[in-house]
Amino acid sequence: MGDFFTTFADALPQLLSGIRITLILTASGAVLALVLSFLFGLMSRSRSIMVRGTSRVIVEFFRGTSLVVQLFWFVYAMPIVTGFQLDDPVYAGIIALGLNYGAYGAEVVRGGLNAVPQAQWEATIALNMTPLQRLRLVIVPQAMAEMIPPFGNLLIQLLKASSLVVLVGIADLSFEAEKIRLTNATEATAAFSISLVLYFVLAWLLNTGMRAWEGHAKAKLGRPVPRKRLLQPVRADQGGAV
Amino acid sequence: MSWWNNQAALELFPLLLEGFRITLLATLLGSLLALTLGLVFAFIDRTAPEYIRRPLGWVLQFIRFTPPIAQLFFAYYVIRPNLGIGVDALTVGIVVLGVHYATYNAEIYRAGIEGVPKGQWEAVTALSLPQGRAWFGVILPQAIRRVLPSLGNNVIILFKEVPVLSAIAVTEMVRVGKEYTSDHFAFYIEAFTIAGLIYLVASYPTSLLMRKLEVRLGN
């Protein structure tokens, strides 16, 4: 066991530098995904068939093809097509993650908006609110309470999916673990075990944060959730890491 | 269209299809494992005593909260050398994906079993059916029927996850494309566009089918 702890101490700094990239990918990917979720989700409720159709096609396209393929496409093919070389493949990773999870998130937003009772929409019209006011003051706060749990699941999937960047050589947590193995095969056990635990801790923290946010959002609507239930992870039944 | 080379595309297409066969094989066997093992997990969760259910719950949560790639590395470089028997990369990959998705399927089965009306359980007791007949003859057929679309969706998701196996050098479709482009230092667009289209053509109709099934089964 002594050996394990020596290698543990050796491997940790390198893994922590990998975590930085994993966090950057996850955080930036999540922000991009959230923006796109609302964009495509709102578009899918538009009255114009053109707008609705555009959002449908984009969402189905990014959900239908594998994230790995999209990643390869953004890293290797996009610079040739557009003649525009991103100076760091991390950006390509963020774009691929954001678009993919934005497409999944759009369905969450659509479902959340549809779950708000029709009377609430009518009330906002009766009160002569502008479209933006309707969403900001009445609809989104109610829809959000429904959307946070599935968003939480997507966020954890996004964290897990960020590890796919290993395949295009971006130095995230999994990549650093693999690099440690390549330099010194005896450290493989320590490196891969620590990387698994680190991923678990990150996922657990994200889950806890999202559950706290859910409790907050629901309490504001006068629907408090028992604390004990908020401490448990959201039931997730779709794997969707890609 | 100077960036698209038709000849390379024509050369790539059969190669990618060849790799696609491995993708399909991994999907099929991985899903089969995920579907059976998921049911086993759900069954244990329903029948075993607390001191088994709890640790199992933790293990399943750990698997759900860690990425398949990290699990793949762990299985391939840490577990495999200690097995004492030769296991090839494809098998490791199929087992890792199968177990990963089994943890998700377990939740689906659990929900399905909970959704079976209480009266059915009472009927089983009233008829004093043996445990086996009760589960396989009465409860599971109803439970599985209602969660079929969700299970199907996980098959599609697993299918799209298969390219992660290229991390341990399984030559599925995306790996084939990657190798071709590395050999030529070119044709990235052709390789990854065709691979993407093959994915789309295979997964989109299947997901439509699942949606139809969902409507038909009325949930």
Side-chain angles (χ1 to χ4, degrees):
Chain A
M1 248 358 230
D3 261 8
F4 185 86
F5 286 110
T6 332
T7 46
F8 182 93
D10 287 349
L12 204 58
Q14 206 176 335
L15 291 176
L16 288 180
S17 98
I19 274 209
R20 207 178 64 90
I21 302 292
T22 294
L23 286 177
I24 290 174
L25 284 166
T26 308
S28 319
V31 170
L32 179 58
L34 186 67
V35 173
L36 292 177
S37 301
F38 272 92
L39 181 67
F40 297 141
L42 287 170
M43 278 169 75
S44 73
R45 289 183 54 95
S46 162
R47 230 172 282 155
S48 144
I49 186 142
M50 277 295 287
V51 176
R52 240 178 21 238
T54 313
S55 127
R56 193 79 252 152
V57 169
I58 296 175
V59 167
E60 291 297 348
F61 180 80
F62 282 100
R63 279 162 38 121
T65 53
S66 172
L67 174 55
V68 183
V69 180
Q70 290 161 23
L71 202 57
F72 275 96
W73 211 90
F74 280 111
V75 173
Y76 296 114
M78 192 183 66
I80 308 172
V81 180
T82 59
F84 182 69
Q85 177 85 48
L86 294 164
D87 36 317
D88 191 330
V90 171
Y91 293 118
I94 292 170
I95 294 174
L97 287 168
L99 278 167
N100 196 271
Y101 282 91
Y104 280 97
E107 294 292 283
V108 173
V109 171
R110 196 165 66 102
L113 293 177
N114 286 343
V116 175
Q118 191 58 34
Q120 297 286 329
W121 292 91
E122 285 160 9
T124 59
I125 299 170
L127 289 170
N128 202 20
M129 288 180 165
T130 64
L132 205 65
Q133 279 177 328
R134 286 173 209 168
L135 286 175
R136 192 168 61 84
L137 297 172
V138 181
I139 306 301
V140 171
Q142 295 183 61
M144 210 55 195
E146 297 305 312
M147 292 191 287
I148 294 170
F151 271 149
N153 279 335
L154 283 180
L155 184 59
I156 287 170
Q157 284 168 19
L158 198 152
L159 165 72
K160 287 161 59 183
S162 74
S163 66
L164 296 174
V165 299
V166 171
L167 302 174
V168 291
I170 296 173
D172 78 330
L173 178 54
S174 301
F175 186 90
E176 293 295 344
E178 166 72 350
K179 216 165 76 182
I180 291 173
R181 182 195 68 84
L182 284 171
T183 10
N184 185 353
T186 56
E187 290 184 353
T189 308
F192 291 130
S193 313
I194 301 169
S195 85
L196 278 172
V197 171
L198 287 174
Y199 273 115
F200 179 78
V201 171
L202 285 180
W204 189 264
L205 289 175
L206 289 178
N207 178 69
T208 310
M210 292 301 280
R211 297 291 330 228
W213 186 20
E214 181 193 347
H216 182 70
K218 286 193 173 155
K220 267 207 313 204
L221 296 174
R223 300 200 290 260
V225 186
R227 227 183 111 71
K228 205 174 154 216
R229 242 189 62 209
L230 282 180
L231 289 175
Q232 287 159 3
V234 182
R235 294 273 185 195
D237 61 9
Q238 301 281 277
V242 272
Chain B
M1 291 283 274
S2 61
W3 38 263
W4 182 272
N5 185 325
N6 254 334
Q7 205 183 336
L10 283 174
E11 197 178 297
L12 262 160
F13 190 64
L15 291 175
L16 289 174
L17 278 185
E18 190 65 29
F20 191 60
R21 276 182 41 204
I22 303 286
T23 306
L24 282 182
L25 180 73
T27 309
L28 192 76
L29 296 178
S31 293
L32 221 57
L33 179 62
L35 290 171
T36 20
L37 199 59
L39 188 57
V40 172
F41 289 152
F43 190 75
I44 295 175
D45 185 55
R46 186 81 199 195
T47 53
E50 182 79 8
Y51 62 84
I52 296 178
R53 276 173 42 210
R54 246 170 198 267
L56 179 72
W58 293 332
V59 172
L60 297 192
Q61 190 61 51
F62 188 85
I63 297 176
R64 271 194 290 262
F65 268 9
T66 46
I69 279 208
Q71 294 166 2
L72 210 54
F73 283 149
F74 189 83
Y76 192 68
Y77 294 115
V78 181
I79 299 178
R80 193 187 68 119
N82 295 318
L83 281 180
I85 43 165
V87 183
D88 65 340
L90 181 60
T91 313
V92 173
I94 287 170
V95 171
V96 167
L97 284 184
V99 171
H100 190 86
Y101 281 86
T103 63
Y104 284 100
N105 285 344
E107 285 292 300
I108 296 179
Y109 285 121
R110 191 188 55 79
I113 294 169
E114 275 173 11
V116 175
K118 219 174 136 223
Q120 297 293 321
W121 286 101
E122 289 163 0
V124 164
T125 319
L127 292 169
S128 72
L129 286 181
Q131 276 285 311
R133 287 275 311 277
W135 277 101
F136 289 100
V138 180
I139 305 300
L140 287 181
Q142 297 181 60
I144 293 176
R145 198 185 123 88
R146 90 185 49 214
V147 296
L148 222 46
S150 304
L151 293 174
N153 279 333
N154 268 350
V155 173
I156 301 175
I157 295 169
L158 189 149
F159 168 61
K160 286 184 279 180
E161 185 108 45
V162 171
V164 305
L165 301 193
S166 65
I168 52 168
V170 172
T171 46
E172 47 66 58
M173 178 169 65
V174 176
R175 175 89 184 190
V176 172
K178 179 86 199 298
E179 279 172 0
Y180 187 90
T181 55
S182 317
D183 288 349
H184 293 78
F185 292 107
F187 311 129
Y188 299 99
I189 300 172
E190 292 83 349
F192 300 126
T193 306
I194 297 173
L197 288 177
I198 292 179
Y199 255 106
L200 196 63
V201 166
S203 74
Y204 186 58
T206 326
S207 68
L208 285 186
L209 201 74
M210 289 304 141
R211 247 173 262 177
K212 255 198 153 146
L213 195 66
E214 222 164 301
V215 174
R216 254 197 74 173
L217 296 177
N219 36 6

